[in-house]
Amino acid sequence: MGTPLLTLSGLTKAYPGVVANDDVSFDIQPGEVHALLGENGAGKSTLVKLIYGLVSPDSGKMALNGMPYAPANPNAARASGVAMVFQHFSLFDALSVAENVALGMDNSPPQGELSTKIRTVSDAYGLPLDPHRTVGDLSAGERQRVEIIRCLLQDPQLLIMDEPTSVLTPQEVEILFKTLRKLSAEGTAILYISHKLEEIRSLCDNATILRLGKKVATCIPAQKTAAELAEMMVGTSLKPPKRAAEVSSEVALHVSGLNLPPAQAFGTSLRDISLTLHKGEVLGIGGVAGNGQDELLAALSGERLCAADQVKLDGKPVGNLGPTARRHLGLLAAPEERLGHAAVPDMSLTENALLTGVTRQALAKGGWINWAAAKGYAERIIHQFDVRTPGPHVAARALSGGNLQKFVIGREVLQAPHVLVVNQPTWGVDASAAAAIRQALLDLATQGSAIICISQDLDELMEISDRFAALNEGHLTHARPAAGLTIEEIGLMMGGAHGMEAAHV
Amino acid sequence: MFKIEKRPIPSAKWNWGAPIVAVLLTMVFGGALFAVLGVNPFLALEKIFYEPLLGEYAFYYRPQLLVKAAPLILIAIGLSLGFRAGIWNIGAEGQYIIGALCGAGLALALYPMELFILLPLMVIAGAIGGALWGLIPAFLKVRFGTNEILVSLMLVYVAEQLLASMALGLMKNPEGMGFPGSRNLQQYPSAHNAEIISGTGMHWGVVAALIAVIFAYIVLSRHMFGFSLRMSGMAPRAAKFAGVNPTRMVLICMGISGALAGMAGLFEIAGPAGQVSIDFNVGYGFTAIIVAFLGRLNPVGILLAGILMALTYIGGEITQSQMGLPLAAIQVFQGMLLFFLLAMDLLTNYRFRPTAKEAA
């Protein structure tokens, strides 16, 4: 091996109360696709922020092509040939693709020239993109292409990709991988961050595994099984969730012809959604982010109203009822955004237990709150769902993502819902908490509740769903039995690869 | 040197410590201001904080304290409910004027009929008038998405014009020999909001303020309405998810704060002020905003803050008459209080940490 492209030695970065990176060292060779694998909170993001100049290390050194490398800011990192595609895009909805690309460049050429360049690069790497389209109209996969092309226009030596496939359909993932392999063949190194094991096995040459801020292993992912990788990442082996539920023929929830305009500009409208959910059934709803997931949850939870008989719970029309009335009848929900939507960050767990528990747990009488009962309910959730916290007086924002998620899911599960709708129940949650949450959902189904699980994690959906449907631009596909579905079929249900027609222009 | 970092949990100590430190800092910097103006700062601070309470003429100032604190507290309680829910009614001054005009208008229309329930009727009229004035920005907000801060503030100036027009026209005293201003309600027994115990300053407005404090305290800590209110302010999406109707919340909060401001105006015009005059309003509606925040939007805190603010009003008058301090100086003094409070508030949610030295 020649000189490594990037050498990290002894990088350490501490935040108050947590050491995000503890003495991390590894090398990346030119043209190598290097995976950075770890659970949420393992320190992957902090490490790439160090490399990209967003934060500076407390101790340790980096070298790029053998020369000391200490970027003061992302501009300096880009000037040295390090580019990064973030998990959350920084694009302006109201501007065109070319304008967005120009804004991200340090010295951008005139628009006409830039458009030509964008076309050249997008053709060369199989990333179809029309420079004149408005970003607000693009799918998540297309937006990611904008970010990637913005990076490629600067001829990086190292391209960092943070969880790039979480917003893609399987077909789009294939396209992305082709692009990345081509880049790697041309000598561009790629640092690929993910917790999806199969992806890493098929794409990456080497993997560095982080756990709690420390490097725990390096390996060649293709030589390991996914289970072995998972064990290295988590530290223990995990049991897949078990289920014993039998789906009854009794209908719990029926949605028919539901249309809702978007709540804000560039939002997604729900188009003619119809679904039938039986008692004891888990319906998994997949789809790329931004295709109507939040809107569907709001329409089911009662945050947005529709015509009465567009949503029927146990045969009763509830479409025109608000959240409290729906809870009373047994339709409960747990939104994706934990802080600020499912829970109030600055309120205690007792108050957050009251937030949705008040109706079914009878925590108030005539509007007067029974605080002792609310505290008792919060304690029950904490106890039964193993929420790690000093007590119910703690503010929600002080809990880790996984613990708060267990609290939020527990709060709804313990209310014995007839129908429970959850959105991204394990997003940003560590593996053991995720397993506990999935098991809780399955146990609830075993008791006869019906569950809709909206998620972008296809593995999760395949693990717990009886039937699977996908949201694509506000449409919901027909639900199909989950057993036996191939990844190819799932991808097509999610809309295949978006925006491919531009390639043939 | 130092960096500011967010606390995991808001500090309970600083929540109550911030107002105290703010008062102390205001004394220090206000004292410095007085010194620059050529006045002995210690004497001035003594006149503001000591003399009205325990000085030689305290028997005269103490009732004044209640008279000044009552409207501030009553208005601030109403405002605090809205502020907690993230609804910013800045126009209490206008609602105060309209409440006074509605109540006084009722009394003047019935003059000189002696009616046992006239004062209660006037209170109700004042509350309704203030509530309706507050509901204008609320309605415009929920219907057309206008900003309640701007609209409620602008309506203050409309109310002031209306007040002037009433004092010079419709409500002018027919026996007033051409002078502006209405009949004096203090001389109309049924309408007079007289002292309940003579010489104490204790009028019905003081009673109403105390009831409002107790009522607000109970609702905020024990009732679902108070809980919904706090949720709406802290996390509007979560409140909506919990089942709170945001439109109704805006209307209720603006209505309540308007009603309380209107009542405060009525108690003032039927009592200490006595008549509809061009310069009837003296800025209680605006000062109440400071009182609400100084009191941490907490009913008990507002009670204390209202008394403190009344103290600076009276102390300001004393320093004005006895030491020749300009009115503007005492207004700056009051402004400093809010300024330092907001600055100190940072410490409730954030803390300073010495930054580690850069590794060599």
Side-chain angles (χ1 to χ4, degrees), chain A residues 24-43:
Chain A
V24 177
S25 311
F26 62 87
D27 293 344
I28 301 175
Q29 304 295 333
E32 174 189 350
V33 183
H34 194 108
L36 195 54
L37 179 64
E39 280 204 77
N40 291 294

Side-chain angles (χ1 to χ4, degrees), chain B residues 156-171:
Chain B
V156 172
Y157 305 109
V158 177
E160 280 178 346
Q161 297 304 316
L162 205 61
L163 172 72
S165 149
M166 287 296 160
L168 298 172
L170 196 59
M171 293 189 190

Side-chain angles (χ1 to χ4, degrees), chain A residues 327 351 367 369 371 397, chain B residues 7-8 221-222 224 230 241:
Chain A
R327 264 182 211 123
E351 288 170 300
I369 299 164
W371 282 115
R397 76 164 193 233
Chain B
R7 293 176 191 272
S221 59
R222 307 232 163 262
M224 278 307 284
R230 291 192 289 130
F241 171 63

Side-chain angles (χ1 to χ4, degrees), chain A residues 16 58-59 301 303 323-324 327 333-335 337 340-347 351 354-356 358 364 366-369 371 394-395 397-398 411-412, chain B residues 3 5-10 218-225 227 230-231 234-244 348-349 351 353 356-359:
Chain A
D58 294 338
S59 65
S301 72
E303 287 163 89
T324 309
R327 264 182 211 123
E337 189 70 43
H341 194 183
V344 182
D346 287 326
M347 279 188 170
E351 288 170 300
L354 181 70
L355 193 145
T356 69
V358 60
W368 297 101
I369 299 164
W371 282 115
V394 171
R397 76 164 193 233
R411 181 179 70 186
E412 309 306 324
Chain B
K3 67 178 176 190
E5 89 189 11
K6 195 162 181 162
R7 293 176 191 272
I9 301 175
I218 293 175
V219 164
L220 280 175
S221 59
R222 307 232 163 262
H223 198 271
M224 278 307 284
F225 174 71
F227 182 68
R230 291 192 289 130
M231 270 195 297
M234 290 173 160
R237 275 187 88 197
K240 200 163 180 226
F241 171 63
V244 177
T348 311
N349 278 308
R351 61 186 162 201
R353 271 287 178 97
K357 288 225 170 89
E358 284 294 313

Side-chain angles (χ1 to χ4, degrees), chain A residues 373-396:
Chain A
K375 182 164 173 256
Y377 184 51
E379 277 165 351
R380 253 175 66 209
I381 301 168
I382 292 169
H383 178 71
Q384 292 195 22
F385 282 80
D386 187 30
V387 180
R388 307 280 164 82
T389 172
H393 61 278
V394 171

